[in-house]
Amino acid sequence: MIAKLKGLLDETGTDWAVIDVSGVGYLVHCSTKTLAALGDVGEACTVYTDPQVSETDMRLLGFAEAAERDWFRLLTQVQGVGSKVALAILSALSTGEVQAACSNGDAAMIARANGVGPKLAGRIVNELKDKAGALPGGGMAGATMAATPAGGASADAVSALENLGFKPAVAARAVAAAQGELGEDASEGDLIRVALKRAAG
């Protein structure tokens, strides 16, 4: 199956893009965050893809980062969450925010997405809480993190943000800002929490 497309951005719509790969145009359905990350029409771009096949439909979902695709797959495992709802969540929230919401049981944050009511948001965070913590960089707090020296905590926090899909430069700036706000003795968990908010902007 198609796992990644690398070509030129040929056309875009409200929730889709056409990627021209050697003269073949692939229609991919995307979140608004992915559409914004693809750049301008005519520019080179790369999208990670997830094919969705049913009895009545066959479509290709596109994501600017592998982390977003991984979260899409997790979200669609929850009963009542189809591709449309999953894309709405990933349009409203960054992967870091979705991860934090599930880890902390924050259904209200998930419910910010269009078409996601309180009941469904609660089911999402309940079902994905353990899985979110098991992802690289997951587990926002814990005794081992609190005991981490400041220098190591800072480096580990940067690594955690990178694992969540943030670019190294963005992760480093966000953690540095969090360190400045919280002080040198801040735990890794606190650094990640504050840095996530800054990186997600």
Side-chain angles (χ1 to χ4, degrees):
M1 299 296 283
I2 301 170
K4 184 171 75 171
L5 295 174
K6 191 172 184 178
L8 298 177
L9 182 60
D10 189 66
E11 188 180 357
T12 61
T14 54
D15 61 354
W16 55 268
V18 175
I19 312 298
D20 185 325
V21 182
S22 301
V24 178
Y26 291 86
L27 174 67
V28 292
H29 296 268
C30 312
S31 70
T32 55
K33 291 185 184 297
T34 286
L35 286 172
L38 292 180
D40 297 324
V41 170
E43 290 185 352
C45 64
T46 299
V47 290
Y48 298 88
T49 58
D50 188 56
Q52 297 277 300
V53 180
S54 68
E55 292 181 1
T56 58
D57 191 24
M58 183 170 65
R59 61 177 56 195
L60 202 58
L61 287 301
F63 310 93
E65 297 173 338
E68 187 186 14
R69 179 180 61 185
D70 293 343
W71 271 104
F72 174 85
R73 289 172 174 170
L74 270 181
L75 287 165
T76 53
Q77 289 175 13
V78 177
Q79 183 182 359
V81 180
S83 59
K84 186 176 180 180
V85 170
L87 286 180
I89 293 170
L90 293 169
S91 292
L93 305 170
S94 67
T95 53
E97 288 174 321
V98 177
Q99 207 269 357
C102 291
S103 294
N104 299 326
D106 189 352
M109 181 176 282
I110 299 295
R112 285 163 47 186
N114 288 333
V116 180
K119 186 175 180 180
L120 180 56
R123 184 188 305 147
I124 290 169
V125 297
N126 286 335
E127 291 192 20
L128 299 185
K129 187 172 185 178
D130 293 338
K131 295 179 181 179
L135 287 177
M140 289 293 168
T144 54
M145 285 186 175
T148 308
S154 178
D156 290 343
V158 171
S159 177
L161 262 67
E162 290 178 12
N163 288 334
L164 289 172
F166 292 102
K167 293 181 180 179
V170 173
R173 282 198 302 270
V175 171
Q179 188 96 62
E181 179 180 330
L182 299 172
E184 293 298 319
D185 296 328
S187 70
E188 181 185 341
D190 287 337
L191 285 173
I192 292 173
R193 176 176 54 79
V194 175
L196 272 174
K197 292 179 181 178
R198 291 182 172 273

Short mmCIF file of all heavy atoms in Angstrom, two decimals, residues 116-167:
data_model
loop_
_atom_site.label_atom_id
_atom_site.label_comp_id
_atom_site.label_asym_id
_atom_site.label_seq_id
_atom_site.Cartn_x
_atom_site.Cartn_y
_atom_site.Cartn_z
N VAL A 116 -17.09 16.90 17.88
CA VAL A 116 -16.74 16.02 19.00
C VAL A 116 -17.45 16.51 20.26
O VAL A 116 -17.12 17.56 20.80
CB VAL A 116 -15.21 16.00 19.24
CG1 VAL A 116 -14.88 15.07 20.42
CG2 VAL A 116 -14.48 15.53 17.99
N GLY A 117 -18.45 15.74 20.70
CA GLY A 117 -19.19 16.11 21.90
C GLY A 117 -18.48 15.61 23.16
O GLY A 117 -17.51 14.85 23.07
N PRO A 118 -18.96 16.04 24.33
CA PRO A 118 -18.34 15.65 25.60
C PRO A 118 -18.25 14.13 25.80
O PRO A 118 -17.26 13.62 26.32
CB PRO A 118 -19.24 16.29 26.65
CG PRO A 118 -19.91 17.42 25.94
CD PRO A 118 -20.09 16.97 24.53
N LYS A 119 -19.32 13.41 25.40
CA LYS A 119 -19.36 11.96 25.60
C LYS A 119 -18.28 11.27 24.77
O LYS A 119 -17.53 10.42 25.28
CB LYS A 119 -20.74 11.42 25.22
CG LYS A 119 -20.91 9.94 25.53
CD LYS A 119 -22.34 9.49 25.24
CE LYS A 119 -22.51 8.01 25.54
NZ LYS A 119 -23.91 7.55 25.25
N LEU A 120 -18.17 11.65 23.50
CA LEU A 120 -17.16 11.05 22.63
C LEU A 120 -15.75 11.45 23.08
O LEU A 120 -14.83 10.63 23.08
CB LEU A 120 -17.38 11.48 21.18
CG LEU A 120 -16.39 10.93 20.14
CD1 LEU A 120 -16.36 9.41 20.18
CD2 LEU A 120 -16.73 11.42 18.75
N ALA A 121 -15.59 12.71 23.48
CA ALA A 121 -14.28 13.17 23.96
C ALA A 121 -13.85 12.38 25.18
O ALA A 121 -12.68 11.99 25.32
CB ALA A 121 -14.34 14.67 24.28
N GLY A 122 -14.80 12.11 26.08
CA GLY A 122 -14.49 11.31 27.26
C GLY A 122 -14.07 9.90 26.90
O GLY A 122 -13.14 9.34 27.49
N ARG A 123 -14.76 9.32 25.92
CA ARG A 123 -14.41 7.96 25.48
C ARG A 123 -13.00 7.94 24.87
O ARG A 123 -12.21 7.02 25.12
CB ARG A 123 -15.42 7.46 24.46
CG ARG A 123 -15.19 6.01 24.03
CD ARG A 123 -16.09 5.61 22.88
NE ARG A 123 -17.49 5.85 23.20
CZ ARG A 123 -18.40 6.20 22.30
NH1 ARG A 123 -18.05 6.37 21.03
NH2 ARG A 123 -19.64 6.38 22.66
N ILE A 124 -12.67 8.97 24.10
CA ILE A 124 -11.35 9.04 23.46
C ILE A 124 -10.24 9.07 24.50
O ILE A 124 -9.28 8.30 24.43
CB ILE A 124 -11.27 10.27 22.53
CG1 ILE A 124 -12.16 10.07 21.30
CG2 ILE A 124 -9.82 10.51 22.08
CD1 ILE A 124 -12.35 11.31 20.45
N VAL A 125 -10.35 9.98 25.47
CA VAL A 125 -9.26 10.09 26.46
C VAL A 125 -9.19 8.84 27.33
O VAL A 125 -8.09 8.41 27.72
CB VAL A 125 -9.38 11.37 27.32
CG1 VAL A 125 -9.26 12.61 26.45
CG2 VAL A 125 -10.68 11.39 28.12
N ASN A 126 -10.34 8.23 27.64
CA ASN A 126 -10.34 7.02 28.48
C ASN A 126 -9.67 5.86 27.76
O ASN A 126 -8.89 5.11 28.36
CB ASN A 126 -11.77 6.64 28.88
CG ASN A 126 -12.35 7.56 29.93
OD1 ASN A 126 -11.61 8.18 30.69
ND2 ASN A 126 -13.66 7.66 29.98
N GLU A 127 -9.98 5.70 26.47
CA GLU A 127 -9.45 4.56 25.72
C GLU A 127 -7.99 4.75 25.33
O GLU A 127 -7.25 3.78 25.17
CB GLU A 127 -10.30 4.30 24.48
CG GLU A 127 -11.69 3.77 24.80
CD GLU A 127 -12.41 3.24 23.58
OE1 GLU A 127 -11.74 2.92 22.57
OE2 GLU A 127 -13.65 3.15 23.61
N LEU A 128 -7.56 6.01 25.15
CA LEU A 128 -6.20 6.25 24.66
C LEU A 128 -5.22 6.69 25.75
O LEU A 128 -4.05 6.88 25.47
CB LEU A 128 -6.22 7.31 23.55
CG LEU A 128 -7.03 6.95 22.30
CD1 LEU A 128 -6.86 8.02 21.24
CD2 LEU A 128 -6.58 5.59 21.75
N LYS A 129 -5.71 6.81 26.98
CA LYS A 129 -4.83 7.29 28.05
C LYS A 129 -3.59 6.42 28.20
O LYS A 129 -2.45 6.92 28.24
CB LYS A 129 -5.59 7.36 29.37
CG LYS A 129 -4.80 8.01 30.49
CD LYS A 129 -5.67 8.23 31.72
CE LYS A 129 -4.89 9.00 32.78
NZ LYS A 129 -5.71 9.30 33.97
N ASP A 130 -3.79 5.10 28.28
CA ASP A 130 -2.65 4.19 28.44
C ASP A 130 -1.78 4.15 27.20
O ASP A 130 -0.55 4.09 27.29
CB ASP A 130 -3.14 2.78 28.78
CG ASP A 130 -3.79 2.71 30.15
OD1 ASP A 130 -3.50 3.59 30.98
OD2 ASP A 130 -4.60 1.79 30.38
N LYS A 131 -2.40 4.19 26.03
CA LYS A 131 -1.62 4.16 24.79
C LYS A 131 -0.81 5.43 24.61
O LYS A 131 0.31 5.40 24.11
CB LYS A 131 -2.55 3.94 23.60
CG LYS A 131 -3.24 2.58 23.60
CD LYS A 131 -4.16 2.42 22.40
CE LYS A 131 -4.86 1.06 22.44
NZ LYS A 131 -5.78 0.87 21.30
N ALA A 132 -1.40 6.58 25.02
CA ALA A 132 -0.68 7.85 24.89
C ALA A 132 0.56 7.84 25.75
O ALA A 132 1.63 8.31 25.35
CB ALA A 132 -1.59 9.01 25.29
N GLY A 133 0.45 7.30 26.96
CA GLY A 133 1.59 7.26 27.85
C GLY A 133 2.67 6.32 27.37
O GLY A 133 3.84 6.48 27.72
N ALA A 134 2.28 5.33 26.54
CA ALA A 134 3.25 4.35 26.07
C ALA A 134 4.01 4.83 24.83
O ALA A 134 5.01 4.24 24.45
CB ALA A 134 2.55 3.04 25.75
N LEU A 135 3.53 5.90 24.21
CA LEU A 135 4.22 6.42 23.03
C LEU A 135 5.56 7.03 23.42
O LEU A 135 5.75 7.44 24.57
CB LEU A 135 3.37 7.51 22.35
CG LEU A 135 2.13 7.06 21.59
CD1 LEU A 135 1.40 8.27 21.06
CD2 LEU A 135 2.51 6.15 20.45
N PRO A 136 6.53 7.11 22.49
CA PRO A 136 7.80 7.78 22.79
C PRO A 136 7.55 9.18 23.31
O PRO A 136 6.80 9.95 22.71
CB PRO A 136 8.52 7.81 21.44
CG PRO A 136 7.95 6.66 20.69
CD PRO A 136 6.50 6.59 21.13
N GLY A 137 8.16 9.50 24.44
CA GLY A 137 7.97 10.82 25.01
C GLY A 137 6.73 10.92 25.86
O GLY A 137 6.41 11.97 26.37
N GLY A 138 5.98 9.81 25.97
CA GLY A 138 4.75 9.83 26.75
C GLY A 138 5.02 9.77 28.24
O GLY A 138 6.15 9.66 28.69
N GLY A 139 3.96 9.79 29.02
CA GLY A 139 4.11 9.79 30.46
C GLY A 139 4.55 11.16 30.92
O GLY A 139 5.72 11.41 31.14
N MET A 140 3.64 12.08 31.05
CA MET A 140 4.00 13.47 31.29
C MET A 140 4.56 13.72 32.68
O MET A 140 5.15 14.74 32.94
CB MET A 140 2.77 14.36 31.08
CG MET A 140 2.39 14.46 29.63
SD MET A 140 3.64 15.34 28.70
CE MET A 140 3.11 15.00 27.04
N ALA A 141 4.33 12.83 33.61
CA ALA A 141 4.83 13.05 34.95
C ALA A 141 5.21 11.71 35.56
O ALA A 141 4.85 10.66 35.07
CB ALA A 141 3.77 13.74 35.82
N GLY A 142 5.97 11.75 36.65
CA GLY A 142 6.37 10.52 37.31
C GLY A 142 7.54 10.77 38.23
O GLY A 142 8.28 11.72 38.06
N ALA A 143 7.72 9.87 39.20
CA ALA A 143 8.77 10.07 40.19
C ALA A 143 10.14 10.06 39.55
O ALA A 143 11.03 10.80 39.95
CB ALA A 143 8.66 8.97 41.25
N THR A 144 10.34 9.21 38.53
CA THR A 144 11.66 9.15 37.92
C THR A 144 11.97 10.45 37.20
O THR A 144 13.11 10.90 37.20
CB THR A 144 11.72 7.98 36.91
OG1 THR A 144 10.65 8.11 35.97
CG2 THR A 144 11.59 6.66 37.63
N MET A 145 10.95 11.06 36.59
CA MET A 145 11.17 12.33 35.91
C MET A 145 11.50 13.43 36.91
O MET A 145 12.36 14.25 36.67
CB MET A 145 9.93 12.72 35.11
CG MET A 145 9.73 11.92 33.85
SD MET A 145 8.35 12.57 32.90
CE MET A 145 8.44 11.54 31.44
N ALA A 146 10.81 13.43 38.04
CA ALA A 146 11.01 14.48 39.03
C ALA A 146 12.42 14.44 39.60
O ALA A 146 12.96 15.45 40.03
CB ALA A 146 9.99 14.33 40.15
N ALA A 147 13.02 13.24 39.57
CA ALA A 147 14.35 13.10 40.15
C ALA A 147 15.46 13.36 39.14
O ALA A 147 16.64 13.29 39.46
CB ALA A 147 14.50 11.70 40.73
N THR A 148 15.10 13.63 37.89
CA THR A 148 16.09 13.84 36.85
C THR A 148 16.81 15.17 37.05
O THR A 148 16.17 16.19 37.27
CB THR A 148 15.42 13.85 35.46
OG1 THR A 148 14.63 12.68 35.34
CG2 THR A 148 16.44 13.87 34.35
N PRO A 149 18.15 15.20 36.96
CA PRO A 149 18.88 16.46 37.09
C PRO A 149 18.45 17.45 36.02
O PRO A 149 18.00 17.05 34.93
CB PRO A 149 20.34 16.04 36.90
CG PRO A 149 20.38 14.57 37.19
CD PRO A 149 19.03 14.05 36.78
N ALA A 150 18.60 18.74 36.30
CA ALA A 150 18.11 19.77 35.40
C ALA A 150 18.67 19.64 33.99
O ALA A 150 17.97 19.78 33.01
CB ALA A 150 18.42 21.15 35.97
N GLY A 151 19.97 19.41 33.88
CA GLY A 151 20.59 19.31 32.56
C GLY A 151 20.00 18.17 31.76
O GLY A 151 19.63 18.31 30.60
N GLY A 152 19.88 16.99 32.42
CA GLY A 152 19.31 15.84 31.75
C GLY A 152 17.85 16.04 31.44
O GLY A 152 17.36 15.61 30.40
N ALA A 153 17.13 16.69 32.36
CA ALA A 153 15.71 16.93 32.15
C ALA A 153 15.47 17.78 30.91
O ALA A 153 14.57 17.51 30.12
CB ALA A 153 15.11 17.63 33.38
N SER A 154 16.30 18.78 30.72
CA SER A 154 16.16 19.66 29.57
C SER A 154 16.39 18.89 28.26
O SER A 154 15.61 19.00 27.32
CB SER A 154 17.17 20.82 29.68
OG SER A 154 17.08 21.65 28.54
N ALA A 155 17.45 18.10 28.22
CA ALA A 155 17.76 17.32 27.02
C ALA A 155 16.67 16.29 26.74
O ALA A 155 16.27 16.09 25.59
CB ALA A 155 19.11 16.63 27.17
N ASP A 156 16.18 15.65 27.81
CA ASP A 156 15.13 14.64 27.64
C ASP A 156 13.82 15.28 27.18
O ASP A 156 13.06 14.68 26.42
CB ASP A 156 14.91 13.88 28.94
CG ASP A 156 16.08 12.96 29.28
OD1 ASP A 156 16.89 12.68 28.39
OD2 ASP A 156 16.17 12.53 30.45
N ALA A 157 13.56 16.49 27.66
CA ALA A 157 12.34 17.19 27.25
C ALA A 157 12.38 17.53 25.77
O ALA A 157 11.39 17.40 25.05
CB ALA A 157 12.14 18.46 28.08
N VAL A 158 13.55 17.97 25.30
CA VAL A 158 13.72 18.26 23.87
C VAL A 158 13.47 16.99 23.06
O VAL A 158 12.75 17.00 22.05
CB VAL A 158 15.12 18.82 23.57
CG1 VAL A 158 15.35 18.91 22.07
CG2 VAL A 158 15.29 20.19 24.21
N SER A 159 14.06 15.88 23.51
CA SER A 159 13.88 14.60 22.82
C SER A 159 12.42 14.18 22.80
O SER A 159 11.91 13.68 21.79
CB SER A 159 14.73 13.53 23.52
OG SER A 159 14.53 12.26 22.91
N ALA A 160 11.71 14.41 23.92
CA ALA A 160 10.29 14.04 24.00
C ALA A 160 9.46 14.82 22.98
O ALA A 160 8.61 14.27 22.30
CB ALA A 160 9.77 14.30 25.41
N LEU A 161 9.73 16.12 22.85
CA LEU A 161 8.99 16.94 21.89
C LEU A 161 9.30 16.51 20.46
O LEU A 161 8.42 16.50 19.60
CB LEU A 161 9.30 18.43 22.08
CG LEU A 161 8.25 19.20 22.91
CD1 LEU A 161 8.28 18.72 24.36
CD2 LEU A 161 8.50 20.70 22.86
N GLU A 162 10.55 16.16 20.20
CA GLU A 162 10.91 15.68 18.86
C GLU A 162 10.16 14.39 18.54
O GLU A 162 9.69 14.20 17.42
CB GLU A 162 12.42 15.45 18.77
CG GLU A 162 13.25 16.72 18.79
CD GLU A 162 14.74 16.44 18.74
OE1 GLU A 162 15.14 15.29 18.47
OE2 GLU A 162 15.50 17.38 18.99
N ASN A 163 10.04 13.52 19.54
CA ASN A 163 9.31 12.26 19.33
C ASN A 163 7.84 12.49 19.07
O ASN A 163 7.16 11.66 18.47
CB ASN A 163 9.49 11.34 20.55
CG ASN A 163 10.88 10.75 20.64
OD1 ASN A 163 11.56 10.60 19.63
ND2 ASN A 163 11.32 10.42 21.84
N LEU A 164 7.32 13.62 19.54
CA LEU A 164 5.91 13.95 19.32
C LEU A 164 5.70 14.62 17.97
O LEU A 164 4.58 14.98 17.62
CB LEU A 164 5.41 14.88 20.44
CG LEU A 164 5.23 14.20 21.80
CD1 LEU A 164 4.92 15.23 22.87
CD2 LEU A 164 4.14 13.15 21.75
N GLY A 165 6.79 14.83 17.22
CA GLY A 165 6.65 15.37 15.87
C GLY A 165 7.13 16.79 15.67
O GLY A 165 7.09 17.31 14.56
N PHE A 166 7.60 17.44 16.75
CA PHE A 166 8.11 18.81 16.58
C PHE A 166 9.52 18.78 16.00
O PHE A 166 10.31 17.89 16.31
CB PHE A 166 8.11 19.54 17.94
CG PHE A 166 6.75 19.82 18.48
CD1 PHE A 166 6.21 19.03 19.49
CD2 PHE A 166 5.98 20.86 17.99
CE1 PHE A 166 4.94 19.27 19.99
CE2 PHE A 166 4.71 21.11 18.48
CZ PHE A 166 4.19 20.32 19.49
N LYS A 167 9.84 19.76 15.17
CA LYS A 167 11.17 19.85 14.60
C LYS A 167 12.18 20.17 15.70
O LYS A 167 11.86 20.85 16.67
CB LYS A 167 11.20 20.92 13.51
CG LYS A 167 10.35 20.55 12.30
CD LYS A 167 10.40 21.61 11.22
CE LYS A 167 9.55 21.22 10.02
NZ LYS A 167 9.54 22.23 8.97
#
